[in-house]
């Protein structure tokens, strides 16, 4: 496991032509302990019990969302991307808290896109009714199935909603529609795209031996999509995800030029320590490979960051957790 390089202060100036800037925020898991009569669904009651008795409510420090939201507002990126799990059990109060905190930042970004996680489509009814889109609509551009955008410096964005009916499980699933949409976007824009960014809550590959518990494959039926990336998309590809609550960079061992970037869980407190509010800023400079800047809040409550080059060696794993805070 590699260690994190020495952090730098945000006060240091960044020189040269400003790159196209993407901010990627991971699993926030806003929660609420209020349970209404329509919430008496087995899975939601179990989730509620986990919030109340399982410690999830203590681990995700919602009160720290305000400084994080303030930082995101201040940064005004070209793209502000949320890879899902805004909520814990898909309830109105949870989405309302997320929306209230993040709306100013969403409004100030060039484009904001939100692709839901399994906790945002928690029950079959939430999945069917797409409650996440009802509560996080408008400025957040929630992805119902798949959506594509183009940005500066040849960056293309493919945002995929892979939530599915998973019983008491937590996995996601790709469909033929996702692949068709990706193929048509690529065919239409291939002459201008230099970097393909995929935004999806779930990753189809995990670095071996990193997660403390084996969750099994959490994105199912993605093989045709990975085969298409291998055969048809020769530009660098960044897969922005969350779901596993750790930050990392991981070069795919199977798909050339594909790198996974996990944004982790900014509000998560580990070992009783305050959450470090970490998130990623991806710089896409003109004619150069993208770099990843990890922002986090230090022990003295100051904002710090460090830069990491996207690894080229297949299978290379880089830990982007703030090790000092663990
Ligand atoms: Fe999560
Ligand atoms: Fe998740």
């Amino acid at each position: 496991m590699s260690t994190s390089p020495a952090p730098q202060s945000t006060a240091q100036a960044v020189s040269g032509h400003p790159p196209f800037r993407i901010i990627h925020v991971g699993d926030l898991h806003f929660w609420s302990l209020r349970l209404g009569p329509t919430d008496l669904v087995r899975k939601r009651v179990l989730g509620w019990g986990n919030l109340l008795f399982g410690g999830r409510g203590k681990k995700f420090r919602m009160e720290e969302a305000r400084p994080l939201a303030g930082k995101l507002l201040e940064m005004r990126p070209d793209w502000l991307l949320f890879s899902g799990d805004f909520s814990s059990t898909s309830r109105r109060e949870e989405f309302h808290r997320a929306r209230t905190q993040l709306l100013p930042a969403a409004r100030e970004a060039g484009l904001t896109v939100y692709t839901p996680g399994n906790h945002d489509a928690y029950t079959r009814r939430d999945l069917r009714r797409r409650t996440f889109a009802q509560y996080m609509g408008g400025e957040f551009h929630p992805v119902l199935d798949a959506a594509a955008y183009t940005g500066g410096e040849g960056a293309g964005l493919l945002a995929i909603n892979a939530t599915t009916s998973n019983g008491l499980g937590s996995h996601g699933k790709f469909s033929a529609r996702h692949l068709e949409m990706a193929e048509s976007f690529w065919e239409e824009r291939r002459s201008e795209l230099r970097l393909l960014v995929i935004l999806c809550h779930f990753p189809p590959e995990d670095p071996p031996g990193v997660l403390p518990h084996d969750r099994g494959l959490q994105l199912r039926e993605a093989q045709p999509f990975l085969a298409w990336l291998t055969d048809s998309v020769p530009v660098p590809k960044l897969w922005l995800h969350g779901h596993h609550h750790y930050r990392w960079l991981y070069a795919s061992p199977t798909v050339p030029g594909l790198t996974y970037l996990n944004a982790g869980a900014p509000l998560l407190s580990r070992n009783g320590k305050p959450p470090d509010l970490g998130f990623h800023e991806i710089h896409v400079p003109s004619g150069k490979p993208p770099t990843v800047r990890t922002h986090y809040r230090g022990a003295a409550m100051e904002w710090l960051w460090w830069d990491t080059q996207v690894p080229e060696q297949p299978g290379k794993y880089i830990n982007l957790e703030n090790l000092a805070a663990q």
Side-chain angles (χ1 to χ4, degrees), residues 16-48:
H17 175 68
F20 187 74
R21 292 187 307 124
I22 303 166
I23 283 183
H24 172 209
V25 183
D27 298 34
L28 293 165
H29 284 291
F30 284 86
W31 51 272
S32 164
L33 288 177
R34 282 178 54 193
L35 201 61
T38 59
D39 292 330
L40 297 176
V41 179
R42 184 170 166 231
K43 186 171 183 179
R44 189 129 54 204
V45 170
L46 288 172
W48 182 83

Side-chain angles (χ1 to χ4, degrees), residues 73-269:
L73 170 63
E74 174 196 313
M75 297 193 72
R76 291 179 169 77
D78 296 296
W79 288 349
L80 175 57
L81 306 181
F82 294 98
S83 56
D85 278 359
F86 267 139
S87 78
S88 293
T89 56
S90 298
R91 273 175 298 151
R92 181 207 301 259
E93 293 84 0
E94 297 171 346
F95 285 119
H96 178 71
R97 284 176 173 163
R99 182 175 178 83
T100 304
Q101 292 285 353
L102 297 166
L103 190 57
R107 282 186 170 144
E108 286 301 318
L111 169 71
T112 298
V113 179
Y114 153 53
T115 188
N118 49 306
H119 284 263
D120 302 332
Y122 202 62
T123 65
R124 279 205 194 104
R125 184 171 159 167
D126 298 321
L127 186 71
R128 196 174 60 247
R129 295 191 173 186
R130 296 184 168 119
T131 47
F132 69 91
Q134 293 170 26
Y135 299 136
M136 301 297 291
E139 294 85 346
F140 288 88
H141 296 103
V143 178
L144 297 181
D145 193 21
Y149 302 87
T150 52
E153 308 300 348
L157 172 64
L158 198 50
I160 297 177
N161 173 357
T163 56
T164 189
S165 180
N166 53 22
L168 294 177
S170 58
H171 64 270
K173 192 164 88 173
F174 261 26
S175 72
R177 287 190 320 278
H178 294 139
L179 178 56
E180 279 167 26
M181 199 276 179
E183 285 174 328
S184 66
F185 174 59
W186 175 253
E187 285 310 315
E188 199 178 305
R189 301 286 190 162
R190 62 186 303 163
S191 62
E192 63 192 90
L193 295 185
R194 287 183 42 249
L195 170 72
L196 183 62
V197 176
I198 298 150
L199 178 69
C200 177
H201 181 65
F202 311 87
E205 297 179 291
D206 297 327
V210 170
L211 291 168
H213 308 289
D214 181 9
R215 303 180 77 181
L217 184 61
Q218 290 283 288
L219 179 57
R220 299 183 183 170
E221 301 185 24
Q223 267 314 315
F225 189 89
L226 295 182
W228 169 73
L229 287 179
T230 302
D231 297 339
S232 306
V233 186
V235 300
K237 299 157 280 286
L238 268 182
W239 190 300
L240 310 188
H241 69 91
H243 191 53
H244 305 307
H245 296 160
Y246 297 89
R247 291 193 301 265
W248 66 57
L249 265 167
Y250 175 50
S252 169
T254 60
V255 180
L258 172 63
T259 309
Y260 299 99
L261 180 59
N262 185 352
L267 302 181
L268 177 60
S269 161

Side-chain angles (χ1 to χ4, degrees), residues 275-299:
D276 74 358
L277 313 186
F279 63 93
H280 290 134
E281 177 183 10
I282 299 143
H283 288 181
V284 188
S286 180
K288 290 185 193 160
T291 58
V292 173
R293 178 165 291 179
T294 303
H295 291 267
Y296 71 101
R297 192 182 59 174

